[in-house]
Amino acid sequence: MAVFGRAPMARNLRVAPATALAIVMVLLPGMRSATAADFDCVGFLRMHGMLRRASTACGFTEYNPDIVDRARICFDTLGSRRGTEEVQSGVAEFERLRSTRHYDAVCAMLAAKFSMVVRP
């Protein structure tokens, strides 16, 4: 099972990618009024990297501009080096998904789970 992020503290628990991304998505509705410190910028940039890569690979026609704006804020908050690492981690997550599942299934799953972000 692929792991998204690091295991939480001392219990060595692992969080599945879908779970981590679902948590980030719960935070999206209030993102305009929130500051970068109010939510997980690391997870957000990973999600953004994964969905940007999926946009290109899957041919999604729309990408929510609010996500791009929030990603810029998070990128600035974390700094270019760390921000780039997290976005690249999201891209790698997409590639892992694509290597373990049928390409069309991955695109359909992402379009369904992230309908607030991308549109086929």
Side-chain angles (χ1 to χ4, degrees), residues 57-117:
C58 298
F60 294 145
T61 59
E62 294 181 42
Y63 195 93
N64 187 334
D66 291 337
I67 302 301
V68 176
D69 292 342
R70 176 53 63 186
R72 282 187 189 122
I73 292 169
C74 281
F75 193 86
D76 290 342
T77 299
L78 294 178
S80 63
R81 181 176 177 203
R82 178 85 190 274
T84 299
E85 289 171 358
E86 300 309 335
V87 169
Q88 289 174 346
S89 177
V91 170
E93 181 64 26
F94 174 78
E95 296 302 333
R96 279 189 295 275
L97 283 171
R98 209 165 82 166
S99 72
T100 60
R101 294 182 171 175
H102 188 271
Y103 179 77
D104 291 336
V106 171
C107 293
M109 184 247 334
L110 291 174
K113 288 188 182 238
F114 297 100
S115 60
M116 294 172 49
V117 182

